[in-house]
Amino acid sequence: QVRLVESGGGLVQAEDSLRLTCVASGRRASNYDMAWYRQAPGKEREIVASIRFSFRGDIISYADSVKGRFTISRDSAKHTMYLQMSRLMPEDAAIYYCSVVVPSPVKSIYWGQGTQVTVSA
């Protein structure tokens, strides 16, 4: 069982920055694949960025829409994942969720409760 708690959302203006935080508890989530998703009103949930565990070092990927503006990272010692968002645009407004995939005993995905990001033009 893993519990995820996001924070850091808020109301900002276009071109502003925000840093989202996701704190994991229950299992060593930092050794698993984690990701940030977002869901805007009337739209499907979409992946924003992911960080996949590898013994050679985490593998990071981004949605095309956020490349160069968002940075995903994690601090294993603090069981925390971050999403640094820069140059925010109104289309980035959504509820942002963090997730973790736990591979055993049965592959399961856990979600946080989400944090709202609102961007005014």
Side-chain angles (χ1 to χ4, degrees):
Q1 189 79 13
V2 177
R3 182 168 180 257
L4 303 172
V5 179
E6 304 99 331
S7 62
L11 171 63
V12 297
Q13 293 184 333
E15 297 297 318
D16 281 352
S17 299
L18 274 178
R19 188 177 80 160
L20 305 184
T21 299
C22 172
V23 180
S25 61
R27 293 185 69 171
R28 194 171 179 82
S30 56
N31 284 352
Y32 303 139
D33 297 346
M34 300 184 74
W36 286 99
Y37 286 76
R38 67 186 181 188
Q39 187 167 20
K43 295 187 177 181
E44 294 186 355
R45 190 171 297 190
E46 62 176 358
I47 191 165
V48 175
S50 66
I51 185 163
R52 291 162 46 209
F53 175 79
S54 167
F55 288 106
R56 296 184 179 181
D58 287 340
I59 300 171
I60 290 174
S61 62
Y62 298 96
D64 287 343
S65 59
V66 307
K67 280 181 182 177
R69 300 188 299 121
F70 290 11
T71 302
I72 188 173
S73 62
R74 61 181 166 188
D75 184 331
S76 298
K78 296 181 179 179
H79 308 294
T80 300
M81 180 175 66
Y82 304 98
L83 185 68
Q84 178 66 49
M85 305 186 294
S86 303
R87 304 197 325 265
L88 282 160
M89 302 184 294
E91 48 264 46
D92 294 317
I95 298 175
Y96 283 70
Y97 300 89
C98 68
S99 71
V100 61
V101 178
V102 178
S104 64
V106 176
K107 186 176 180 179
S108 303
I109 185 167
Y110 294 89
W111 298 92
Q113 83 288 350
T115 185
Q116 178 74 53
V117 173
T118 304
V119 184
S120 62

